[in-house]
Amino acid sequence: VGETGEGFLGASLYIGCIGGAAIAGKLSDQYGRKKSLAVSAIFFAISCIGTALSHNIYFFIFNRLIGGLGVGMASILSPLYIAEIAPEKIRGRLVSVNQLAIVIGIFITYFSNYILLKQFGYNSWRWMMGVGVIPSLLFFISVLMIPESPLWLFIKQKIAASLNVF
């Protein structure tokens, strides 16, 4: 692979993030915050499974790009959704909790990867990639349980549904 290839392996996620962040607003304006968050969770799950099952570097990079789309979308949509649904008095606090959840998630990822590395050695990388499907599915299931953003419903002229959520 070489140093350049290794660099691109790592960077491919961030390249996907750029794309995900670029399309998140348009998708959520058209289809809703909830559906767009669900799509980002699906991208996460596909990426985790795809990278774990990669048979060559190109398939691995492709799946990292898909994961990046999910990360980019979620990084835009999660605070947007929180800001639109949270009561004014706690809105800032909840958006901050979102950031804390991201940091805790990163810590858990590093910790679980450390355990896998100690248990199975350097060949555990497939497990390290694949285990991410668990939080991806939990995220997807959680998104199914939340209401659509009242602001999005209002913009789409669904006033009664907006007031019901609000």
Side-chain angles (χ1 to χ4, degrees):
V1 175
E3 290 178 4
T4 303
E6 284 182 24
F8 194 74
L9 284 174
S12 58
L13 181 80
Y14 302 111
I15 293 168
C17 286
I18 294 167
I23 64 171
K26 185 79 166 165
L27 285 177
S28 71
D29 285 349
Q30 187 168 359
Y31 300 107
R33 311 321 185 213
K34 180 178 177 172
K35 287 179 184 172
S36 299
L37 282 166
V39 168
S40 72
I42 291 168
F43 283 161
F44 290 141
I46 290 170
S47 175
C48 292
I49 294 167
T51 55
L53 299 176
S54 290
H55 53 283
N56 65 44
I57 190 172
Y58 304 107
F59 192 67
F60 185 90
I61 290 171
F62 172 77
N63 283 288
R64 292 281 289 176
L65 289 167
I66 296 295
L69 286 173
V71 171
M73 289 175 65
S75 68
I76 297 294
L77 297 174
S78 295
L80 174 67
Y81 179 82
I82 292 167
E84 290 180 355
I85 201 154
E88 185 179 352
K89 286 186 175 186
I90 62 170
R91 189 173 298 145
R93 201 171 326 152
L94 289 178
V95 172
S96 295
V97 168
N98 176 60
Q99 292 298 320
L100 179 62
I102 291 168
V103 172
I104 291 170
I106 292 168
F107 172 76
I108 291 170
T109 300
Y110 282 137
F111 186 70
S112 70
N113 286 350
Y114 174 77
I115 291 171
L116 287 168
L117 180 65
K118 288 295 183 189
Q119 189 71 30
F120 302 109
Y122 286 104
N123 289 326
S124 62
W125 69 268
R126 289 185 188 276
W127 285 104
M128 291 177 186
M129 296 295 174
V131 76
V133 77
I134 296 167
S136 302
L137 293 175
L138 291 173
F139 178 43
F140 180 78
I141 291 166
S142 298
V143 168
L144 296 178
M145 293 188 258
I146 62 174
E148 182 53 79
S149 159
L151 179 60
W152 184 82
L153 291 168
F154 183 80
I155 290 169
K156 294 297 181 178
Q157 306 294 314
K158 298 177 182 183
I159 308 304
S162 175
L163 290 173
N164 187 41
V165 173
F166 188 67

